[in-house]
Amino acid sequence: MSSVLLFNGFLLLATISDVLVLGAPGATQIMDRDPSVKKCKYNRPYSMLEARCSNLELHEIPTNLKADIQVLDATVNRLRELTNDSLTPYKSLSYIYLGDNFIQNIEEGAFANQRYLEVLDISQNGCDNLPKSLFQLPYLRTLYLGHNKLTDSVFKVEVTSPLKMLQLTKNKLTRIPKLGIQSTLVHLNVSDNLITSIDADDLAPFCSLKVLDLSRNIIRFNRGCQCQTFNAWVKLRQIKIKPDDFYNCTDSPVEDCTDVQINNRTYELYNECTDIIQQEVETEKARSVWILVASCVSVFLFVVFVALFCVHKRNRRRRRKQKEQQQLTANNANTELLNSNLTAGNS
Ligand SMILES: *[C@@H]1O[C@H](CO)[C@@H](O)[C@H](O)[C@H]1NC(C)=O
Ligand SMILES: *[C@@H]1O[C@H](CO)[C@@H](O)[C@H](O)[C@H]1NC(C)=O
Ligand SMILES: *[C@@H]1O[C@H](CO)[C@@H](O)[C@H](O)[C@H]1NC(C)=O
Ligand SMILES: *[C@@H]1O[C@H](CO)[C@@H](O)[C@H](O)[C@H]1NC(C)=O
């Protein structure tokens, strides 16, 4: 009963907000003969142009929206596939939300031209694979991939995107994705997967990792003090792990694990990652030094130019004055000559 009320309330709210959107400046309804496109609306949250196509029973992404949209919300529809052409009309998208559809297949080139993509949500679909090129988009930082059918092989890919947040809850992973060195990754959620083992080397390449959700997996630590070593690393790196009782290491062997040693390999992986951050900091520093030098040189050149210009102007003024004076004396001489001529004529 209460849920029905809630649902009605939501509908009412949705209706009101739609009316508000229609009334708001800049909000327009798309008039089109294609009934599936009819109800997409435009909005400008945070000064970005958004096309809102949520909950319209769409079978494909409309291709006749304004070409410069930056946000596309096509959640809760009936999309089944993303082809190479699905998003080609749109070249400025930073945010794409496709959650809660029936997407099972995404062609390799589907996101290839989304150079500005920062956030992609394809959670709650039926994907068992993803295009490799997705992980090479230059600004992609947030990926919501939860509630799909993704397996370990999806992540056998070179990741060059600056990923910060990777949401992979409720998929079919059996281990932490092997993404290589990821210096930007802060948040990794692999809850509700089929992960059976984990060790410090899995996390060491993610040297910025702060939050890791491992809830509802069936992780067993088998050899020696693996659990204690893992936990020692997690504590050292101050990674916040869920579930909270992961630190207990209850089903570990009874051998003495109070003084565990962290592998050299773990440190190597970690250091490779921090080296990248260090390099970036240095590149950035070098860049600012160059900018400073360039600015100083330009200011210097400008000052020299202004000084030269002033000197030139002063010289010209002086020369003109001299000329005027010469002319004046010449004129005086002429007048005198004239006068003397006149006097001569008069006499
Ligand atoms: C989609 O694009 C990729 C390359 O980006 C290409 O390899 C593939 O053949 C294309 N698929 C179709 C159906 O055109
Ligand atoms: C991980 O995802 C699940 C499901 O969406 C969510 O309940 C949980 O809070 C997330 N964990 C973290 C640490 O955000
Ligand atoms: C793990 O330890 C915490 C306290 O450190 C305790 O509250 C929790 O019940 C323990 N969990 C298990 C499964 O032993
Ligand atoms: C690990 O590194 C330490 C110090 O760098 C070194 O003494 C030790 O032999 C190394 N252990 C292995 C197994 O390489």
Side-chain angles (χ1 to χ4, degrees), residues 286-301:
R287 218 172 64 106
S288 359
V289 167
W290 272 113
I291 289 174
L292 191 71
V293 168
S295 323
C296 287
V297 168
S298 349
V299 166
F300 174 74
L301 286 178

Side-chain angles (χ1 to χ4, degrees), residues 147 167 169 187 189 191 211 213 216 242:
H147 297 263
Q167 163 62 293
T169 191
H187 189 119
N189 194 335
S191 58
V211 180
D213 196 334
R216 295 176 295 283
K242 278 182 118 184

